[in-house]
Amino acid sequence: MAIVEELKALHADTLAAIEAAADTTALDEVRVRVVGKSGTLTAYLRNMGAIAKEERATVGKAVNQVRNAVEEALEARKKALATAELEASIDAAAVDITLPGRVQQLGTRHLINRVSEEICDVFLGLGYTVATGPEVETDYYNFTALNAPADHPSRSMQDTFYVRDLSGDEAAVRGESDVLLRTQTSGVQVHCMEDQELPIYIVAPGKVFRRDVADPSHLPQFTQIEGLVIDKGITFGDLKGTLDYFCKAVFGSERKTRFRAHYFPFTEPSAEVDVSCGVCHGEGCRMCKGTGWLEILGCGMVDPHVLEMSGIDPEVYSGFAFGVGVERVACLKYNVPDLRLLLQGDMRFLRQF
Ligand code: DAH
């Protein structure tokens, strides 16, 4: 029978096409072409009515056989292709565990923090405690309570960032704000004198801000450590002994110190302290600009009027105070020529310390 022969050929062709389908999309095309709604095999079933009655059973049986065989082959091929596709996608996404790993860069403690802690540690060893104060401060604590009232010329020694008050307060709107970014940690002295029991032995590390352009020896934000001692019978001798001990602890026991008379509004007498140059040992070199000495801090005996303003009786108590620039100490200790290097976050620089 011609039709049965045709069906055999269709069967063979379809099985070959199924085998040749390279992926599930190609396989689906074969399915649609042969057993889909208008597929070639489906057409035989549709046209059954046109076949002679006596042949219908034989042809029908042959069509069904071919259809079953084709559907079975489609199903088997579909499974095989799906498995292969899944495996390929897993392979593509696989991690190559034989590749060398990427090294994570470990950070280091920043030099500013290290030196700051080192300085505080020297004083903790002497029985001091660490105090802190606000970075956004009022005019009173930053200047007035430190003997620099509004019209005092010493205020212009420190270019100041004032904080604009947006509350609508008229004076603030005119730019006469009394809130500012502290220019010195000395305001912490006042907070401590107001809040703490006597005697006081504190160091206060923290950030300070000045309206300065960054250059090798200035930064608009830097770190200071304030020191304050208030007790009965404190003399300039105590100040000298303490700060000489501090300089030797930080820079080395062979270093010398020198006290030069200076002016600060809140101390009387006041001094600046120099430490002998570690590069030339006093001979004079580029590091110390030929002087043999490096200036490292300001200090003095707390002015009796400052004690009085904070409610301490200067007839009973006396004290000394000092302020150290941490970045400056760090640079002098490690011969860093430019303060700005400390703030650039360059790991090649920072990792050296
Ligand atoms: N506050 C001063 C400054 O920033 C440094 C200073 C000097 C602090 C003398 C003191 C001091 O406590 O007694 O320039």
Side-chain angles (χ1 to χ4, degrees), residues 158 183-186 189 210 222 224 226-227 264 266-267 271 297-300 321-324:
Q158 298 180 358
T183 59
Q184 50 186 353
T185 44
S186 303
Q189 291 186 32
R210 293 193 193 174
F222 58 102
Q224 284 187 334
E226 193 75 18
F264 296 105
F266 44 92
T267 44
L297 60 85
C299 62
F322 55 90
V324 193

Side-chain angles (χ1 to χ4, degrees), residues 12 21 62 76 92 102 106 130 159 166 186 203 226 231 237 244 256 264 266 285 320 330:
R102 286 193 198 112
L106 265 193
V130 172
D159 289 320
L166 299 178
S186 303
V203 277
E226 193 75 18
D231 205 344
D244 182 68
K256 295 189 185 71
F264 296 105
F266 44 92
C285 67
F320 66 82

Side-chain angles (χ1 to χ4, degrees), residues 138-191:
T138 60
D139 182 285
Y140 177 78
Y141 287 98
N142 196 77
F143 291 124
T144 309
L146 292 163
N147 251 357
D151 57 356
H152 198 280
S154 77
R155 286 199 179 204
S156 54
M157 284 158 64
Q158 298 180 358
D159 289 320
T160 311
F161 289 115
Y162 286 91
V163 176
R164 253 274 295 287
D165 184 339
L166 299 178
S167 64
D169 173 58
E170 280 199 14
V173 172
R174 281 202 307 274
E176 296 162 16
S177 168
D178 65 351
V179 180
L180 46 87
L181 300 185
R182 67 179 175 191
T183 59
Q184 50 186 353
T185 44
S186 303
V188 186
Q189 291 186 32
V190 182
H191 287 290

Side-chain angles (χ1 to χ4, degrees), residues 10-19 27-28 30-37 39-42 45 62-80:
L10 179 61
H11 184 190
D13 287 351
T14 308
L15 290 190
I18 288 171
E19 223 28 62
L27 184 66
D28 208 48
V30 178
R31 183 187 62 77
V32 171
R33 198 170 71 229
V34 181
V35 292
K37 256 192 201 161
T40 43
L41 188 61
T42 315
L45 286 170
V63 172
N64 279 335
Q65 272 173 354
V66 174
R67 197 174 62 179
N68 290 342
V70 165
E71 275 172 357
E72 240 172 61
L74 279 170
E75 201 46 44
R77 183 72 184 144
K78 192 172 155 186
K79 265 192 197 149

Side-chain angles (χ1 to χ4, degrees), residues 56-105:
R56 243 178 239 165
T58 327
V59 173
K61 203 173 152 198
V63 172
N64 279 335
Q65 272 173 354
V66 174
R67 197 174 62 179
N68 290 342
V70 165
E71 275 172 357
E72 240 172 61
L74 279 170
E75 201 46 44
R77 183 72 184 144
K78 192 172 155 186
K79 265 192 197 149
L81 285 174
T83 311
E85 278 167 17
L86 180 64
E87 273 168 11
S89 79
I90 290 172
D91 281 352
V95 174
D96 183 351
I97 56 164
T98 65
L99 282 174
R102 286 193 198 112
V103 180
Q104 284 290 339
Q105 283 210 0

Side-chain angles (χ1 to χ4, degrees), residues 205-252:
K207 296 189 193 83
V208 300
F209 308 84
R210 293 193 193 174
R211 219 176 132 268
D212 273 334
V213 174
D215 68 24
S217 54
H218 294 86
L219 294 173
Q221 178 197 306
F222 58 102
T223 316
Q224 284 187 334
I225 295 184
E226 193 75 18
L228 177 69
V229 169
I230 310 280
D231 205 344
K232 288 179 179 157
I234 298 293
T235 67
F236 199 83
D238 296 310
L239 174 154
K240 278 189 87 172
T242 305
L243 295 179
D244 182 68
Y245 169 82
F246 156 72
C247 290
K248 291 188 161 86
V250 171
F251 290 100

